[in-house]
Amino acid sequence: MKKNDKSEAELLEMIRDLEVRQFELETQNKELIKEREKAATALARQNDALSKLYHFSLELSRLPSEDNLEVLIAKRIREFTGASMASFSEYNAESQILTVRHIEMEPGLLEKATSILGENFRKMQVPVSDKIYREICTEIIVTRKTLNEATFGVISRQVGTTVQTLFKVDRFISVAYTAEGNLFGTSLLAMSKEQPDPPGEILLDFVSIASLSLRRKRADEALRQSEEMYQTFLNSTEDMVYLKDENLKYVLVNRSEERRV
């Protein structure tokens, strides 16, 4: 009888051990499923980001006129990151000022923000000291907690807190468009608490592609201005100026020479 009792006790203990083990295995399995789902979600987000990056590159290569380059960058970086707001500010090296050129967000929300911050919000200017310039160019992508910090103090803490509360903004991601040590512009992204940060490396690739396009646009503008000044100089002189190719065909003449030929 005692032997049977012992056998039953051992059997019950074995059953309890199996139940505990089964529970542990089920818990581990659930955790593995969650990890796989998390990894699958992250992979899907990364693939989506890569697809958007690819299409952005194509858009830039096919852009007939770069007049709207800044608008395109603001639109695409908002789509790319899922930000509730994305802006583009152009940097002027002579005046050392960042000026907002475009703000991408829902029209109704933009009106609300303007009512709080004033009309100057759409063309807000941020003075850039040498210290701030070095900071921007060193930290290409940086996260800041407040609008006051993100605008280097241009927007006060009180007003910034009001805006963040109204739009449920948790943080701001600042990105700098630089090439060969030169700053061409920046973007500011307003992110909600529920919105995860975009993949860092892919965001950096987006910024690099946009930076190269901005540098090319700046170079094209400088070349066009130089050609216009050169042509103005040629046409303002009374002397006859011309240039011929190896076939003695005119390739450049000023107005004085035009009247002669």
Side-chain angles (χ1 to χ4, degrees):
M1 204 52 194
K2 290 182 179 179
K3 185 177 180 180
N4 290 337
D5 290 344
K6 185 178 180 181
S7 297
E8 289 180 5
E10 290 176 346
L11 183 60
L12 289 172
E13 185 66 26
M14 289 177 61
I15 291 173
R16 281 194 292 268
D17 288 344
L18 287 172
E19 288 175 343
V20 170
R21 183 57 180 159
Q22 183 180 7
F23 176 77
E24 290 176 348
L25 288 173
E26 288 176 351
T27 302
Q28 290 177 4
N29 189 42
K30 288 179 181 178
E31 290 176 353
L32 284 172
I33 291 173
K34 286 182 180 179
E35 288 297 320
R36 287 174 182 172
E37 289 176 347
K38 186 177 179 181
T41 301
L43 182 60
R45 286 182 60 235
Q46 187 174 31
N47 288 337
D48 181 59
L50 285 171
S51 176
K52 288 178 179 177
L53 184 64
Y54 172 72
H55 287 294
F56 177 61
S57 302
L58 287 180
E59 277 188 298
L60 290 176
S61 66
R62 296 170 179 172
L63 197 63
S65 171
E66 294 190 333
D67 292 341
N68 297 320
L69 177 59
E70 293 82 359
V71 176
L72 178 64
I73 290 174
K75 285 183 177 179
R76 295 297 174 258
I77 199 169
R78 181 177 176 235
E79 293 173 0
F80 184 77
T81 60
S84 56
M85 183 279 294
S87 67
F88 180 91
S89 297
E90 182 182 37
Y91 179 67
N92 186 307
E94 293 183 4
S95 62
Q96 293 184 303
I97 288 177
L98 276 167
T99 303
V100 174
R101 294 302 183 197
H102 185 73
I103 298 173
E104 191 66 24
M105 63 190 303
E106 296 298 326
L109 296 180
L110 182 58
E111 295 302 326
K112 285 184 180 179
T114 304
S115 67
I116 297 172
L117 299 169
E119 284 295 333
N120 291 334
F121 167 63
R122 302 192 187 203
K123 294 183 180 181
M124 184 176 63
Q125 294 187 329
V126 177
V128 179
S129 64
D130 292 341
K131 179 182 177 181
I132 292 176
Y133 187 92
R134 287 192 298 271
E135 181 180 335
I136 292 174
C137 292
T138 301
E139 299 180 279
I140 302 301
I141 301 174
V142 60
T143 301
R144 294 184 170 91
K145 295 297 293 182
T146 69
L147 190 56
N148 173 264
E149 293 176 281
T151 59
F152 300 100
V154 171
I155 295 178
S156 69
R157 291 184 182 277
Q158 183 177 1
V159 173
T161 300
T162 300
V163 172
Q164 285 184 240
T165 302
L166 178 63
F167 298 114
K168 299 178 181 179
V169 174
D170 175 66
R171 65 202 183 283
F172 295 89
I173 299 177
S174 300
V175 302
Y177 303 105
T178 65
E180 298 179 350
N182 297 313
L183 177 65
F184 298 102
T186 62
S187 280
L188 185 62
L189 312 171
M191 310 294 291
S192 66
K193 188 175 182 179
E194 296 76 19
Q195 181 63 41
D197 286 342
E201 291 185 4
I202 301 179
L203 177 58
L204 190 59
D205 288 339
F206 180 99
V207 173
S208 297
I209 293 171
S211 299
L212 292 175
S213 296
L214 289 164
R215 182 184 66 175
R216 186 181 66 233
K217 178 182 178 181
R218 190 72 60 86
D220 289 346
E221 289 175 346
L223 178 61
R224 185 168 58 252
Q225 290 175 2
S226 177
E227 289 175 345
E228 289 174 354
M229 290 177 61
Y230 182 64
Q231 194 63 47
T232 300
F233 168 75
L234 287 179
N235 291 331
S236 64
T237 180
E238 293 298 323
D239 295 329
M240 293 178 291
V241 180
Y242 63 91
L243 181 64
K244 293 183 178 181
D245 61 16
E246 63 274 11
N247 298 318
L248 300 180
K249 190 175 182 179
Y250 285 98
V251 294
L252 183 149
V253 293
N254 69 342
R255 287 175 182 170
S256 296
E257 181 65 11
E258 279 181 348
R259 287 192 292 267
R260 190 182 73 83
V261 298

